[in-house]
Amino acid sequence: MPASSPLRSLLLLVPACSLLWLISGCSSESAKSAAEKPAAAEASPSSESAAANRSSTETSQANNPSAQQEPENAPQGAAPTLDPKAPFELGNALEKFDPPSLEELDKLKWNDGRIADGMALLRDEKSSQPAPALTAEEALKLRNDSPENNAKILAALGVLQPEGGEGVNFDAKMIRHAGGDLNSTNPLFSSSVTDGEFADLTGLAIMSFDRQLKNFAPKDVVVSWQTSDDGLIDRFVLRDDITWSDGKPFTAYDVEFTFKLIMSDHALLVIPAVRGSGTDQIKAVKAYDDHTVVIFHKEALATNITNINFPILPKHIYENSVKEDPSLKRSAYHTEQEAKPVTAGPYEYVSRKRGEEFVVRRRESYYMHDGKQVRDKPNFAEVRVKTIEDLNTALLALKSGDIQQMELRAEQWADQTNGADFYAKNTKVTAPEWTEFHIEWNQRTADGKSPSPFFGDSRVRWAMTYAMDYDELINTITRGLYQQGQGTFHPTSWMFPKNPPALIKQDLDKAEDLLAEAGWTDSDGDGIRDKEINGQIVPFEFQLMTSQTETGIQTATLMKECLEQIGVIANVKPTEFVVMQDKLIKHEFDASLGGWGAGTDPSMQSNIYGTGAQRNYGQYSNPKVDKLFEQGVRELDPAKRAEIYGQIHLQLWEDQPVTWLFYRNAFFGFNKTLRGYNFGALGPFKYSPGFSSLFVPAATP
Amino acid sequence: MLTTPPEVEIALAESAPSAGFWRESWRRFCRRRLALVALAFVVALMAIAAAAPFIAGTKPIICKYKGHIYFPALGYYNRAWENPIFAKDRFRGRYAGTLAEKDPDSWAIFPLVYQDPYRRVRAGEWPDQPENPFGKEGVPSRYNWFGTNPQGFDVFASMVHGAQTAVSVGFVSMGIAAAIGITLGALAGYFGGWIDVLISRVIEVVMCIPSLVLILALVAMLDKVSNVHLMVIVGCTGWTGIARLTRAEFMKLKQLEFVSAARAMGAGASRVMFIHILRNALAPVLVPITFGIADAILIESGLSFLGFGASPPNPSWGTLLSAGRRSIEETWWLIVFPGAAIFLTVLAYNLIGEGLQEATDPRLRQDAH
């Protein structure tokens, strides 16, 4: 199975941002688009400086379709004064490095890495679980109205196709849903979730990860993977039976070329996300022959593996043309490539209609080589991805069978998908996702020079946490579909501490006491708490910024209601995505509702809670946490790492830089013809095998 | 010198004084039943808006607590009017049970309906009243006459308090518009010349400003958007029609004898304009003002519907509508009641406007022919 493809998505998705910024928040409407979009990953402003600044493992930032243009305005070349007419120089952003010879490398001590087939891994995992209680046909008759039924449906429909591909209808065509349009068919320019999905279907990569975000090298691409004993070098031997869609062989030189291309500075070449998503942490990539590619790292870090996640372009297509047109977009030749990209993945590009859809079809040369089948045959003859931005319209399309899969909003799950009109053609499933939502408290003034009058004090932040009515939040606003927040890592993740913090219950007395302790009392009798700061009476009235989504506004309104009871005024300000992002980055806010999705590696959270880090909107700073993050990324033993991140989790909880509200689930509607979907930490598609495991049975009901 | 013959003078004195213009207009207005009903509707709406906290709310209208009389419901008008003693004693907005608990001798009179436009009523707040349902369970019931919104806020309470928004938006914005429009129109019409040219150009410029875009820009800039901001913008951009009509009326009236007479008696320009001419020019101007009120209500509802209204939670009819839009198949009550309220109010203002027009414009009188 094309384990690679999921990887790709990951590449866009996760590393990019390790933490998808789910500002759009709480799951609602555009939420999907924004929530997942962030995955999209876009320019990371400091990508070039990232190399210098190890601590900020640049995660690129969440994005939504409207913001996709942004990167264009901020070319990421090393110097802002690059000359557009300067000749293109491949890899000029790299430091000079003389790779050792192959013989020298052979002398090193090597440890074998994990080579696996994503599908086989999932099959193994499933074989250790009890067989599903129901057959798929029986499960499809169920209504998903209770956790038990959800578990039954998930188990029955998660059954994988029989080995060897029997019982799969290979002629089936699949229609997927996307919340935004495809921007570019060139994976280097990927900047949205839809771009990621395209790359996922058509691309190939040399690293992949499973449902728990554990890394492995996919068997479909890699013959062997070894890591040097000092952790500084990874050596891959690629298979010799991979070809590009134009028939040329896929080689180690393609990998080296693409890496250098990504690490090239030129005024015209604007690569929005890929470089900042970890690729710039790699020191060098060297192809020794057609199949041997070696990756040199700067330091021995736990995140080295996840950095090997860049997309791979065909060297023979771009090698010469990039010199003529470094933008990779403008020349007639590159326009042609954009319209008919050469790819190496399981599916190949067929057509697209702007704002409507793109279509890919199964590529025979992917799974057949010299007349022999060398890889699993992709399950669909054709995959059509339709762009429908309005999720109500998308739901209607799902009900009528015009699309066969979509991610649902919580309200849609609760209210609009219970009738016969939905169950006639579809079923729905939910599963936890490693995504948390919170209210972020800005601890300092916008210039960062002095502490915020409100939230600089951890007692005030704790008062806010105690003021929130979690019962109401979980049961009414999120319809009991989400789980209450317990800190930054998801309870099912390996980083979650063994002795987790207890769930908070609303305690207004405690909140009032804490506020009084911090000096906030109602001294002038107007019903609003105040405090004398520098001789001025400052009322406790602040702005609570939220996305314009229903859940976001409702949550903020609930917080307002709760705070009003203890004499604190929160003004809810629904804010447009781009504006919100801008204010967050400039720290021009008091409090803000938002969310983060899990990255492939917990070390990426240093970008959120590290002192002065790029996504540290609330300007939280704790040297202890900084130190733990530093330790975590250097520690290679998984058990010890888990412990370190558990400590970080607990320390963050103690400091409450944010008030954790809830973990969001993934909600999906699937057409009844589909089988084989299983959920990982990032939903049903963002892992290996992910989408590759979906199939239509030979005889569908 | 000419004098009136005594007998004629006596006859004049004995006949009933002829009805004045306004009384005549009112008489004609009363003949139009629809307009009258509409006026009654608007008056009732204003009464409801003014008394909203006494109709629906969770704060007592009047209560005795620890030996003093308080009026916590006034807190709905202005937060500071709710006595701080309740905050100090940690009432947290829950008066029903807390009063008796903290002071057994206390008593209170609560609003007609124990529901709140800003929050969901939870279980146990009011004896025998269950918690508000939410989502599609919020169908109209004994406790929630018009159902609840997706978050469980009572729709009836929201609509009653939302009437404040509707009424005030209409009156305040058109009040502003009328003040600007009549003043500028009067100046232009009375003085003519370069003043007229200047003001007419200003009118044309202002007509080109799209008020919706202006409002959106303002909403983006302000931290806390309130209805006052909307009113000011609608008022400051909606006066052009009024100004033009006033100007035309003034141009016509300033030629008449009574104006010359007033001037001849030494009245200054402002006296002539605002004492003598304006009262005669007012009738036609009232008509666009009435229609303008209806427009302003529609604009506010539309903005709230689109999510650009006052900061949430704002109990506005448009907000309720937009909550209903997302699940229109299930929550009909979120569309029907606020929709009907907006429709009826706008219709009422239009009917009044039409009635006024016909009652005050002699050319439209059926009996004039």
Side-chain angles (χ1 to χ4, degrees), chain A residues 69-91:
Chain A
Q69 296 309 317
E70 207 178 19
E72 305 276 344
N73 306 329
Q76 61 165 71
T81 52
L82 285 178
D83 177 13
K85 294 200 185 80
F88 181 79
E89 204 185 317
L90 191 65

PDB file of all heavy atoms in Angstrom, chain A residues 69-91:
ATOM      1  N   GLN A  69      -2.954  33.330   0.497  1.00  0.00           N
ATOM      2  CA  GLN A  69      -2.159  34.212  -0.327  1.00  0.00           C
ATOM      3  C   GLN A  69      -1.039  34.848   0.473  1.00  0.00           C
ATOM      4  O   GLN A  69      -0.088  35.339  -0.068  1.00  0.00           O
ATOM      5  CB  GLN A  69      -3.036  35.305  -0.934  1.00  0.00           C
ATOM      6  CG  GLN A  69      -4.079  34.741  -1.880  1.00  0.00           C
ATOM      7  CD  GLN A  69      -3.490  33.821  -2.909  1.00  0.00           C
ATOM      8  OE1 GLN A  69      -2.450  34.104  -3.484  1.00  0.00           O
ATOM      9  NE2 GLN A  69      -4.109  32.657  -3.121  1.00  0.00           N
ATOM     10  N   GLU A  70      -1.202  34.804   1.731  1.00  0.00           N
ATOM     11  CA  GLU A  70      -0.290  35.538   2.580  1.00  0.00           C
ATOM     12  C   GLU A  70       1.176  35.244   2.300  1.00  0.00           C
ATOM     13  O   GLU A  70       1.971  36.174   2.180  1.00  0.00           O
ATOM     14  CB  GLU A  70      -0.606  35.255   4.037  1.00  0.00           C
ATOM     15  CG  GLU A  70      -0.194  36.375   4.906  1.00  0.00           C
ATOM     16  CD  GLU A  70      -0.575  36.081   6.342  1.00  0.00           C
ATOM     17  OE1 GLU A  70      -0.816  34.910   6.672  1.00  0.00           O
ATOM     18  OE2 GLU A  70      -0.633  37.019   7.114  1.00  0.00           O
ATOM     19  N   PRO A  71       1.490  33.993   2.221  1.00  0.00           N
ATOM     20  CA  PRO A  71       2.900  33.692   2.040  1.00  0.00           C
ATOM     21  C   PRO A  71       3.487  34.397   0.833  1.00  0.00           C
ATOM     22  O   PRO A  71       4.664  34.750   0.838  1.00  0.00           O
ATOM     23  CB  PRO A  71       2.924  32.192   1.855  1.00  0.00           C
ATOM     24  CG  PRO A  71       1.554  31.703   2.083  1.00  0.00           C
ATOM     25  CD  PRO A  71       0.659  32.839   2.357  1.00  0.00           C
ATOM     26  N   GLU A  72       2.654  34.601  -0.138  1.00  0.00           N
ATOM     27  CA  GLU A  72       3.155  35.219  -1.354  1.00  0.00           C
ATOM     28  C   GLU A  72       3.782  36.573  -1.051  1.00  0.00           C
ATOM     29  O   GLU A  72       4.704  37.008  -1.696  1.00  0.00           O
ATOM     30  CB  GLU A  72       2.018  35.423  -2.349  1.00  0.00           C
ATOM     31  CG  GLU A  72       1.269  34.135  -2.666  1.00  0.00           C
ATOM     32  CD  GLU A  72       1.957  33.343  -3.729  1.00  0.00           C
ATOM     33  OE1 GLU A  72       2.810  33.918  -4.402  1.00  0.00           O
ATOM     34  OE2 GLU A  72       1.653  32.157  -3.883  1.00  0.00           O
ATOM     35  N   ASN A  73       3.210  37.217  -0.069  1.00  0.00           N
ATOM     36  CA  ASN A  73       3.705  38.546   0.222  1.00  0.00           C
ATOM     37  C   ASN A  73       4.989  38.520   1.026  1.00  0.00           C
ATOM     38  O   ASN A  73       5.638  39.519   1.214  1.00  0.00           O
ATOM     39  CB  ASN A  73       2.670  39.331   1.023  1.00  0.00           C
ATOM     40  CG  ASN A  73       1.363  39.323   0.290  1.00  0.00           C
ATOM     41  OD1 ASN A  73       1.362  39.280  -0.938  1.00  0.00           O
ATOM     42  ND2 ASN A  73       0.258  39.328   1.007  1.00  0.00           N
ATOM     43  N   ALA A  74       5.284  37.403   1.557  1.00  0.00           N
ATOM     44  CA  ALA A  74       6.448  37.335   2.414  1.00  0.00           C
ATOM     45  C   ALA A  74       7.416  36.294   1.899  1.00  0.00           C
ATOM     46  O   ALA A  74       7.520  35.215   2.441  1.00  0.00           O
ATOM     47  CB  ALA A  74       6.018  36.996   3.832  1.00  0.00           C
ATOM     48  N   PRO A  75       8.090  36.628   0.847  1.00  0.00           N
ATOM     49  CA  PRO A  75       9.014  35.653   0.289  1.00  0.00           C
ATOM     50  C   PRO A  75      10.000  35.249   1.365  1.00  0.00           C
ATOM     51  O   PRO A  75      10.373  36.059   2.196  1.00  0.00           O
ATOM     52  CB  PRO A  75       9.710  36.410  -0.831  1.00  0.00           C
ATOM     53  CG  PRO A  75       8.952  37.654  -1.037  1.00  0.00           C
ATOM     54  CD  PRO A  75       8.166  37.924   0.177  1.00  0.00           C
ATOM     55  N   GLN A  76      10.360  34.004   1.315  1.00  0.00           N
ATOM     56  CA  GLN A  76      11.112  33.549   2.452  1.00  0.00           C
ATOM     57  C   GLN A  76      12.588  33.423   2.177  1.00  0.00           C
ATOM     58  O   GLN A  76      13.277  32.688   2.845  1.00  0.00           O
ATOM     59  CB  GLN A  76      10.575  32.218   2.871  1.00  0.00           C
ATOM     60  CG  GLN A  76      10.743  31.220   1.759  1.00  0.00           C
ATOM     61  CD  GLN A  76      10.560  29.820   2.278  1.00  0.00           C
ATOM     62  OE1 GLN A  76       9.594  29.426   2.580  1.00  0.00           O
ATOM     63  NE2 GLN A  76      11.500  29.044   2.408  1.00  0.00           N
ATOM     64  N   GLY A  77      13.051  34.056   1.197  1.00  0.00           N
ATOM     65  CA  GLY A  77      14.483  33.960   0.926  1.00  0.00           C
ATOM     66  C   GLY A  77      15.277  34.438   2.111  1.00  0.00           C
ATOM     67  O   GLY A  77      14.750  35.063   3.001  1.00  0.00           O
ATOM     68  N   ALA A  78      16.539  34.121   2.096  1.00  0.00           N
ATOM     69  CA  ALA A  78      17.340  34.468   3.254  1.00  0.00           C
ATOM     70  C   ALA A  78      17.323  35.972   3.463  1.00  0.00           C
ATOM     71  O   ALA A  78      17.030  36.456   4.532  1.00  0.00           O
ATOM     72  CB  ALA A  78      18.759  33.998   3.050  1.00  0.00           C
ATOM     73  N   ALA A  79      17.663  36.689   2.402  1.00  0.00           N
ATOM     74  CA  ALA A  79      17.707  38.132   2.547  1.00  0.00           C
ATOM     75  C   ALA A  79      16.527  38.727   1.818  1.00  0.00           C
ATOM     76  O   ALA A  79      16.146  38.259   0.760  1.00  0.00           O
ATOM     77  CB  ALA A  79      18.999  38.657   1.960  1.00  0.00           C
ATOM     78  N   PRO A  80      15.942  39.749   2.377  1.00  0.00           N
ATOM     79  CA  PRO A  80      14.799  40.355   1.716  1.00  0.00           C
ATOM     80  C   PRO A  80      15.200  41.086   0.438  1.00  0.00           C
ATOM     81  O   PRO A  80      14.374  41.417  -0.369  1.00  0.00           O
ATOM     82  CB  PRO A  80      14.261  41.329   2.761  1.00  0.00           C
ATOM     83  CG  PRO A  80      15.352  41.531   3.744  1.00  0.00           C
ATOM     84  CD  PRO A  80      16.249  40.347   3.658  1.00  0.00           C
ATOM     85  N   THR A  81      16.487  41.318   0.267  1.00  0.00           N
ATOM     86  CA  THR A  81      16.933  42.132  -0.857  1.00  0.00           C
ATOM     87  C   THR A  81      17.445  41.266  -2.000  1.00  0.00           C
ATOM     88  O   THR A  81      18.361  41.643  -2.702  1.00  0.00           O
ATOM     89  CB  THR A  81      18.039  43.076  -0.418  1.00  0.00           C
ATOM     90  OG1 THR A  81      19.044  42.291   0.234  1.00  0.00           O
ATOM     91  CG2 THR A  81      17.530  44.121   0.533  1.00  0.00           C
ATOM     92  N   LEU A  82      16.873  40.080  -2.159  1.00  0.00           N
ATOM     93  CA  LEU A  82      17.358  39.228  -3.244  1.00  0.00           C
ATOM     94  C   LEU A  82      17.062  39.860  -4.592  1.00  0.00           C
ATOM     95  O   LEU A  82      16.028  40.509  -4.767  1.00  0.00           O
ATOM     96  CB  LEU A  82      16.669  37.874  -3.159  1.00  0.00           C
ATOM     97  CG  LEU A  82      17.191  36.969  -2.043  1.00  0.00           C
ATOM     98  CD1 LEU A  82      16.409  35.692  -2.032  1.00  0.00           C
ATOM     99  CD2 LEU A  82      18.661  36.695  -2.231  1.00  0.00           C
ATOM    100  N   ASP A  83      17.940  39.625  -5.508  1.00  0.00           N
ATOM    101  CA  ASP A  83      17.761  40.199  -6.836  1.00  0.00           C
ATOM    102  C   ASP A  83      16.997  39.223  -7.710  1.00  0.00           C
ATOM    103  O   ASP A  83      17.429  38.097  -7.926  1.00  0.00           O
ATOM    104  CB  ASP A  83      19.149  40.477  -7.426  1.00  0.00           C
ATOM    105  CG  ASP A  83      19.049  41.005  -8.843  1.00  0.00           C
ATOM    106  OD1 ASP A  83      17.915  41.372  -9.235  1.00  0.00           O
ATOM    107  OD2 ASP A  83      20.079  41.043  -9.529  1.00  0.00           O
ATOM    108  N   PRO A  84      15.852  39.647  -8.227  1.00  0.00           N
ATOM    109  CA  PRO A  84      15.065  38.727  -9.052  1.00  0.00           C
ATOM    110  C   PRO A  84      15.797  38.309 -10.323  1.00  0.00           C
ATOM    111  O   PRO A  84      15.468  37.284 -10.923  1.00  0.00           O
ATOM    112  CB  PRO A  84      13.808  39.525  -9.386  1.00  0.00           C
ATOM    113  CG  PRO A  84      13.899  40.816  -8.696  1.00  0.00           C
ATOM    114  CD  PRO A  84      15.237  40.941  -8.059  1.00  0.00           C
ATOM    115  N   LYS A  85      16.775  39.092 -10.727  1.00  0.00           N
ATOM    116  CA  LYS A  85      17.464  38.750 -11.972  1.00  0.00           C
ATOM    117  C   LYS A  85      18.688  37.888 -11.736  1.00  0.00           C
ATOM    118  O   LYS A  85      19.331  37.427 -12.669  1.00  0.00           O
ATOM    119  CB  LYS A  85      17.866  40.036 -12.698  1.00  0.00           C
ATOM    120  CG  LYS A  85      16.665  40.837 -13.180  1.00  0.00           C
ATOM    121  CD  LYS A  85      17.055  41.805 -14.286  1.00  0.00           C
ATOM    122  CE  LYS A  85      15.897  42.690 -14.675  1.00  0.00           C
ATOM    123  NZ  LYS A  85      15.689  43.816 -13.739  1.00  0.00           N
ATOM    124  N   ALA A  86      19.019  37.686 -10.477  1.00  0.00           N
ATOM    125  CA  ALA A  86      20.216  36.904 -10.175  1.00  0.00           C
ATOM    126  C   ALA A  86      20.051  35.482 -10.701  1.00  0.00           C
ATOM    127  O   ALA A  86      18.951  34.946 -10.729  1.00  0.00           O
ATOM    128  CB  ALA A  86      20.428  36.869  -8.666  1.00  0.00           C
ATOM    129  N   PRO A  87      21.160  34.876 -11.145  1.00  0.00           N
ATOM    130  CA  PRO A  87      21.053  33.502 -11.627  1.00  0.00           C
ATOM    131  C   PRO A  87      20.669  32.567 -10.485  1.00  0.00           C
ATOM    132  O   PRO A  87      21.045  32.788  -9.331  1.00  0.00           O
ATOM    133  CB  PRO A  87      22.453  33.195 -12.150  1.00  0.00           C
ATOM    134  CG  PRO A  87      23.340  34.195 -11.512  1.00  0.00           C
ATOM    135  CD  PRO A  87      22.516  35.404 -11.229  1.00  0.00           C
ATOM    136  N   PHE A  88      19.920  31.563 -10.837  1.00  0.00           N
ATOM    137  CA  PHE A  88      19.476  30.615  -9.826  1.00  0.00           C
ATOM    138  C   PHE A  88      20.627  29.686  -9.443  1.00  0.00           C
ATOM    139  O   PHE A  88      21.346  29.177 -10.280  1.00  0.00           O
ATOM    140  CB  PHE A  88      18.313  29.799 -10.372  1.00  0.00           C
ATOM    141  CG  PHE A  88      17.784  28.810  -9.387  1.00  0.00           C
ATOM    142  CD1 PHE A  88      16.931  29.222  -8.370  1.00  0.00           C
ATOM    143  CD2 PHE A  88      18.152  27.482  -9.460  1.00  0.00           C
ATOM    144  CE1 PHE A  88      16.449  28.313  -7.453  1.00  0.00           C
ATOM    145  CE2 PHE A  88      17.667  26.567  -8.538  1.00  0.00           C
ATOM    146  CZ  PHE A  88      16.818  26.994  -7.529  1.00  0.00           C
ATOM    147  N   GLU A  89      20.775  29.495  -8.141  1.00  0.00           N
ATOM    148  CA  GLU A  89      21.858  28.639  -7.672  1.00  0.00           C
ATOM    149  C   GLU A  89      21.245  27.585  -6.766  1.00  0.00           C
ATOM    150  O   GLU A  89      20.698  27.909  -5.707  1.00  0.00           O
ATOM    151  CB  GLU A  89      22.841  29.508  -6.893  1.00  0.00           C
ATOM    152  CG  GLU A  89      24.243  28.957  -6.836  1.00  0.00           C
ATOM    153  CD  GLU A  89      25.091  29.838  -5.923  1.00  0.00           C
ATOM    154  OE1 GLU A  89      24.970  31.075  -6.015  1.00  0.00           O
ATOM    155  OE2 GLU A  89      25.834  29.274  -5.119  1.00  0.00           O
ATOM    156  N   LEU A  90      21.331  26.356  -7.177  1.00  0.00           N
ATOM    157  CA  LEU A  90      20.661  25.277  -6.448  1.00  0.00           C
ATOM    158  C   LEU A  90      21.290  25.080  -5.066  1.00  0.00           C
ATOM    159  O   LEU A  90      22.494  24.927  -4.934  1.00  0.00           O
ATOM    160  CB  LEU A  90      20.748  23.985  -7.255  1.00  0.00           C
ATOM    161  CG  LEU A  90      19.885  22.828  -6.751  1.00  0.00           C
ATOM    162  CD1 LEU A  90      18.410  23.151  -6.877  1.00  0.00           C
ATOM    163  CD2 LEU A  90      20.218  21.544  -7.495  1.00  0.00           C
ATOM    164  N   GLY A  91      20.451  25.097  -4.045  1.00  0.00           N
ATOM    165  CA  GLY A  91      20.919  24.800  -2.690  1.00  0.00           C
ATOM    166  C   GLY A  91      21.766  25.884  -2.065  1.00  0.00           C
ATOM    167  O   GLY A  91      22.546  25.598  -1.157  1.00  0.00           O
TER     168      GLY A  91
END
